Amino acid sequence: MQPEGGKPRRLTRFDHREVRAALLLCAPTAVLMLALLVLPTLAVLGLSFTDAELGVPGFQFLGLGAYADLFTDRAFLRAFRNTAIYVALVAPASVVIGLVLALLIEAEVKGRAFFRSVYFLPVVSLTVAMASVWQYLMHPSFGPMNLVLQRFGLPSINWLGSSDNVLTSLALIGIWQALGFNLVLFLAGLTAINRDLYAAAEMDGVRSAWSRFWTVTWPMLGPTTLFVVTITMINAVKVFETVATLTQGGPSKASEVLLYTIYKEGFVYLHIGVASAMAVVFVAVLLVLLLVQTKVLEKQVHYA
Amino acid sequence: MAPALVLKHVSKAFGTQSVLRDVSIEADAGEFIALVGPSGCGKSTLLRIAAGLERADAGEVSLAGVNVTDTRAADRDMAMVFQSYALYPHLTVRQNIALPLAMRRLSGFERLPMIGRITPSARAKHASIMADVERTAEALRITELLNRKPGEMSGGQRQRVALGRAIVRRPKAFLMDEPLSNLDAALRVHMRAEIVSLHRAAGVVTLYVTHDQEEALGMADRVAVMIGGRILQIASPEVIYTDPEHIDVASFIGSPKINLLPGKIVHGGRLFQAGRYLFSGFSGPERDVTIGIRPEHLFLSTEAHEDSIPLFLQRLEFLGSEVIAHLKNQNDGRALIARLEPDHASDVAGLKQLFASATDHELMVFETDGSRVRAAASVADGAASYAA
Ligand SMILES: Nc1ncnc2c1ncn2[C@@H]1O[C@H](COP(=O)(O)OP(=O)(O)OP(=O)(O)O)[C@@H](O)[C@H]1O
Ligand SMILES: [Mg+2]
C-alpha cells in the first residue's frame, strides 16, 4: 500500500542512526557468511575452471574446457550414472514404503510410538557403525541374509562383492536408512489432516479405504509428500558413507558415486581443479532438485 | 406418519466419561430441531451418532421409519454441515458440490478423470450431475464462485459451498454442527435466515447444533436443551423460554440470565420469599425451593409496598431498545438484573434505592433437584373459583 499523496519521505538524522545501528548488528553474521560460505564457494567455482593440483606449483586456466573434459571423463560419467540409478532405486521405494507403513501405523492406534521409534532408529544411529552391521548381514558365506536364502533353498547372493549386485545392495541399505525419516514425516502429515474431512467424505458416500485415500489423504498429504520426495532425493544424491566404508567404489568401480569420486579426486589424487568442477556439477544437480520443488511442484500441492 | 428422524435412548461414554445419558429425540418430517447447550455437553457427539460417524453404546437411530443403527454413515443418506466447513481444499467449488453426487451416481470407473466419460451413458450422468450442481449454486447464489477453490473464498462463501454440498443430493436429513459459529455477527444473522429458508424449500428434517441460544430460539420449530449429556426439555421456543421444566433450562436460555431467589414452601402449600408471603397452592412437605424471575418481569418502582424487595441500583446498561439494570438485594446482598424500557429507565436513573416486585404468575418455582414445581392453581387467577 502507498501512503496517500505519497511524496517520498526523506531520511532524517534519526533514521540514519538507525540504519547504521542495523548495519552494525548485521555485520558479524555478514562477515562470517562471506568468509565461510561465499568466498569458499567462489574459490571452488574459480578452481573448477583450472587444472590445479595440490602440491604442484602453478596451474593452467582451462575455462569451460574443464567441464567439457569432465563430461568425456568415463569415471565421472559412470559415477553420475551410478548415482542416478541409486537415487532412482532409493527415492521411490523409501517414499512409497514409508507412506504405506505410516498409513498402517496410523490406522492401528496401539503400538504407534513403538513402531515409530523402531523405524526411526536408522535415522539416529551412526551410519558408519551401522555399515559394519550391514557388512556382516550381507557377508557372502556366513551373513544371515544368505543363511535365510539357503534355508529356503534359494541360491546365495554375493551382495556387495559382485559388480551386478553392489548398487542394488547399497540401495537396500539406503532405503532402510531413509525409511524411518520418511515414515515420521508422513505420520506427522497424517496427524495434521482435519478429521472433519474424513467425516465429510464418509457422509458424501466415500465408502472404501481406497477412495478415501485418493479423496482425502493423498491430496492433503501433498505438501508432506513433496517435501519427503525432495529430501529423500537430495539425501540419496549425497550417498557417501556406505560406499566409503563398504565398497570403496568397487568392485571394478561398479559403486562409484558422485560424492565418493569427488572425494577421491580431491583428497586422494589431490586433483583440486577436477574435484572442484565435479563439486560444481554436484551442487548444480542439488539446486535443480530444489528449484523443481519450490517453483514448479509447490504450486500444485498448496491449495490455500 | 412415522417420525422422520428418531434417536431412542442413546447413551455414549468415552472411556469412563459418560457423555450422553439416555437421550431421545423424535423429529417429525420437515421439522427443524435445534440442539442447544453449553460447550462440552455432548451435542456434537449426539449429532455424529445420528450421522453414523460414531457408534452409540446403547440406543437406536431410525430414519424415515427404518432402523439405521447398524448402517454406516455413507449409506444413511443424511448430509452434514461442519463448523470447519470441511471442504476439499484441492477441489474447486464445482467439484466439491459434485462429489457426493459423483460418489452415488457414478461407478468407480466412471469417476476416473477423462476416460471415465468414454461411454455415452457416463457422459449423460456427468452432464446431469453438472446440471444439479448449477441449480444448487444458483439457489445459493454462488454461481460465480464455481471455479474457485475453497482457499480463495471468505468464510461466509465457504459456508455457502458447504451448504450446497449438503443440499445438492436431497438427503433424508440435514445435520448441522455449529455451521455459523466461525462467521462474524452480522453475517451470522443473515445466514440464519438463509438456512431457515433453505430448510423450508427442501422440507427435510434438520438437526441443528448450536451453543447460541438466540440461533436456537430464532430458527427452530422445536428446541432441545441439552446439559451434561441429558436433554432436559424439548419444546417450541416460546415454551422453552416462558415455561421451562428445569432450573438449568431456565438459566441457560435467556439473556440476561433469569434471576434466582431462595424461597420456601411452608405448611399449607404457601410460598414465601425472604419472609414475604407470595402465593399458595403447593403440595408436599415443607421445603426450600428456588424462585426464578425473568429480568423483564422484575418491576421496579421508587416506592415500597407490601411484597416488594428493597434494592440498591448499581449500574444501568444502555442497549438501545432496552436498558439493563444491575441491582443488589438489600437483604441478602445478592445480585439481581432487570430489563427496562428506556422510558422507564430514565425514571429510575440516578436513584440509589429501588423496590422490585413481580406478578405471581410470572414467577417460576423449582425444587432443589432442579425440577419445576407448579401451584395447583394460581392465586392471581383466583384460587377460590377453582376450589368451588
Ligand atoms: N473422541 C473422543 N474421545 C474422548 N472424549 C471425547 C471424544 N469426543 C468428545 N469427547 C468428550 O465428550 C464430551 C462432549 O463432546 P462434544 O464434542 O459432543 O461436545 P459439544 O457439546 O459438541 O461441545 P462444543 O459446543 O464445544 O462443540 C466432551 O467432554 C469431550 O471432551
Ligand atoms: Mg461440538
Side-chain angles (χ1 to χ4, degrees):
Chain A
M1 266 221 291
Q2 286 259 323
E4 270 177 61
K7 215 195 309 177
R9 211 164 58 92
R10 283 180 177 232
L11 291 183
T12 63
R13 185 148 40 109
F14 177 76
D15 289 334
H16 279 295
R17 279 191 12 217
E18 283 237 315
V19 168
R20 198 169 337 132
L23 286 177
L24 266 175
L25 288 170
C26 289
T29 323
V31 167
L32 279 178
M33 270 181 49
L34 207 66
L36 297 177
L37 284 172
V38 180
L39 289 181
T41 309
L42 287 177
V44 168
L45 203 61
L47 282 169
S48 74
F49 294 110
T50 71
D51 65 352
E53 284 181 40
L54 210 61
V56 177
F59 55 78
Q60 243 190 319
F61 185 77
L62 303 175
L64 285 176
Y67 286 89
D69 288 351
L70 205 58
F71 283 100
T72 52
D73 176 356
R74 294 227 349 250
F76 176 75
L77 287 181
R78 181 172 25 224
F80 202 98
R81 204 196 56 170
N82 285 346
T83 310
I85 294 174
Y86 180 86
V87 172
L89 289 174
V90 170
S94 66
V95 170
V96 171
I97 300 174
L99 175 58
V100 169
L101 285 175
L103 289 171
L104 290 177
I105 292 176
E106 172 79 8
E108 179 61 56
V109 183
K110 271 177 269 174
R112 190 137 132 201
F114 171 75
F115 284 115
R116 195 168 44 198
S117 327
V118 166
Y119 284 106
F120 201 64
L121 269 179
V123 183
V124 291
S125 55
L126 207 59
T127 311
V128 177
M130 283 299 130
S132 55
V133 174
W134 277 103
Q135 190 160 37
Y136 161 68
L137 287 173
M138 290 180 163
H139 193 279
S141 39
F142 58 79
M145 288 171 66
N146 273 351
L147 293 183
V148 169
L149 287 179
Q150 279 162 21
R151 171 69 53 85
F152 288 102
L154 296 167
S156 298
I157 293 174
N158 192 355
W159 296 97
L160 294 167
S162 125
S163 52
D164 289 338
N165 297 338
V166 66
L167 215 49
T168 321
S169 302
L170 286 174
L172 221 56
I173 302 177
I175 293 168
W176 169 81
Q177 276 182 312
L179 199 57
F181 194 50
N182 294 354
L183 174 100
V184 168
L185 288 174
F186 276 126
L187 272 181
L190 286 174
T191 324
I193 297 177
N194 180 359
R195 297 288 109 186
D196 280 353
L197 278 177
Y198 288 107
E202 173 77 25
M203 298 302 292
D204 286 344
V206 176
R207 285 183 181 77
S208 63
W210 177 256
S211 10
R212 190 161 48 243
F213 177 79
W214 291 111
T215 314
V216 179
T217 314
W218 178 251
M220 297 313 290
L221 273 184
T224 311
T225 310
L226 177 57
F227 180 72
V228 168
V229 168
T230 317
I231 282 287
T232 314
M233 284 177 74
I234 287 174
N235 279 335
V237 171
K238 287 179 1 192
V239 57
F240 176 76
E241 287 109 320
T242 46
V243 174
T245 48
L246 291 174
T247 69
Q248 289 86 44
S252 55
K253 304 201 184 233
S255 64
E256 288 270 358
V257 291
L258 275 180
L259 213 51
Y260 188 70
T261 309
I262 295 175
Y263 157 78
K264 270 208 319 208
E265 285 291 340
F267 295 93
V268 180
Y269 310 138
L270 305 180
H271 295 156
I272 301 295
V274 180
S276 297
M278 289 181 176
V280 170
V281 173
F282 177 77
V283 171
V285 169
L286 291 185
L287 279 181
V288 167
L289 285 180
L290 271 176
L291 222 66
V292 169
Q293 178 197 3
T294 51
K295 293 281 177 256
V296 186
L297 295 174
E298 198 101 298
K299 286 206 184 65
Q300 308 198 358
V301 295
H302 289 289
Y303 314 110
Chain B
M1 190 168 56
L5 176 62
V6 180
L7 296 157
K8 213 185 282 173
H9 305 302
V10 171
S11 296
K12 174 81 185 173
F14 288 111
T16 55
Q17 184 201 3
S18 174
V19 175
L20 296 176
R21 302 150 202 251
D22 192 18
V23 174
S24 296
I25 294 179
E26 271 194 22
D28 292 329
E31 199 177 16
F32 193 119
I33 292 195
L35 192 59
V36 67
S39 189
C41 72
K43 306 181 294 291
S44 298
T45 307
L46 185 64
L47 202 70
R48 291 173 62 84
I49 287 174
L53 295 168
E54 198 98 56
R55 272 202 75 88
D57 298 336
E60 218 175 79
V61 183
S62 47
L63 182 65
V66 181
N67 185 339
V68 293
T69 316
D70 298 316
T71 311
R72 66 178 290 186
D75 297 326
R76 285 193 186 184
D77 201 12
M78 306 190 192
M80 189 149 168
V81 180
F82 299 83
Q83 180 180 355
S84 66
Y85 316 129
L87 297 172
Y88 308 105
H90 59 292
L91 300 181
T92 62
V93 169
R94 189 189 306 276
Q95 292 166 321
N96 263 285
I97 299 179
L99 193 115
L101 297 180
M103 279 297 162
R104 287 187 160 76
R105 294 189 197 164
L106 301 178
S107 67
F109 179 77
E110 288 170 337
R111 284 200 301 273
L112 291 176
M114 313 299 256
I115 60 167
R117 293 163 206 229
I118 212 155
T119 65
S121 81
R123 272 202 298 279
K125 285 190 205 168
H126 276 281
S128 87
I129 288 176
M130 280 311 140
D132 284 356
V133 171
E134 300 275 349
R135 197 164 331 118
T136 304
E138 256 165 55
L140 287 160
R141 297 194 301 281
I142 48 172
T143 308
E144 71 284 358
L145 301 176
L146 277 175
N147 293 320
R148 294 220 204 147
K149 291 202 173 156
E152 305 159 347
M153 297 187 298
S154 71
Q157 290 170 328
R158 280 182 227 184
Q159 194 55 69
R160 262 165 215 272
V161 176
L163 284 169
R165 186 176 60 176
I167 64 175
V168 70
R169 54 167 237 260
R170 307 172 181 280
K172 292 206 185 80
F174 286 132
L175 306 170
M176 307 199 186
D177 194 354
E178 307 196 20
L180 303 185
S181 57
N182 283 353
L183 305 181
D184 67 55
L187 194 55
R188 205 149 58 209
V189 172
H190 174 79
M191 286 299 286
R192 264 189 225 167
E194 203 145 326
I195 290 181
V196 168
S197 73
L198 277 175
H199 165 257
R200 292 248 170 79
V204 170
V205 61
T206 301
L207 204 52
Y208 184 101
V209 163
T210 175
H211 61 250
D212 181 342
Q213 44 163 311
E214 263 184 55
E215 245 172 51
L217 296 176
M219 296 171 79
D221 299 321
R222 281 195 296 158
V223 176
V225 181
M226 188 164 179
I227 289 168
R230 254 185 264 271
I231 290 193
L232 295 180
Q233 189 171 5
I234 172 161
S236 72
E238 294 79 5
V239 171
I240 288 283
Y241 185 78
T242 57
D243 201 12
E245 288 298 335
H246 195 280
I247 194 167
D248 290 342
V249 176
S251 24
F252 184 74
I253 301 288
S255 168
K257 265 176 75 162
I258 194 168
N259 295 297
L260 296 174
L261 307 169
K264 202 169 185 105
I265 291 175
V266 299
H267 180 71
R270 294 182 302 155
L271 176 67
F272 281 83
Q273 199 279 315
R276 280 180 300 275
Y277 167 71
L278 296 175
F279 54 93
S280 69
F282 296 94
S283 55
E286 211 172 280
R287 60 199 188 272
D288 289 331
V289 292
T290 304
I291 301 168
I293 313 168
R294 293 267 179 218
E296 60 270 30
H297 295 151
L298 213 53
F299 180 76
L300 299 184
S301 75
T302 49
E303 284 153 37
H305 50 90
E306 208 181 338
D307 293 341
S308 62
I309 307 170
L311 300 164
F312 293 121
L313 176 61
Q314 307 235 289
R315 193 161 63 86
L316 285 177
E317 199 176 323
F318 181 74
L319 296 179
S321 62
E322 64 187 31
V323 176
I324 306 298
H326 296 264
L327 309 150
K328 198 162 109 180
N329 191 330
Q330 284 187 18
N331 296 332
D332 57 11
R334 281 168 194 266
L336 285 175
I337 288 177
R339 194 204 301 256
L340 312 174
E341 301 283 319
D343 296 350
H344 186 45
S346 52
D347 297 341
V348 301
L351 293 176
K352 280 254 165 54
Q353 173 149 336
L354 286 170
F355 299 91
S357 55
T359 319
D360 290 345
H361 69 89
E362 284 167 344
L363 301 183
M364 307 168 194
V365 183
F366 302 96
E367 300 280 9
T368 39
D369 69 0
S371 62
R372 179 84 180 269
V373 55
R374 290 183 167 83
S378 168
V379 163
D381 295 343
S385 61
Y386 279 85

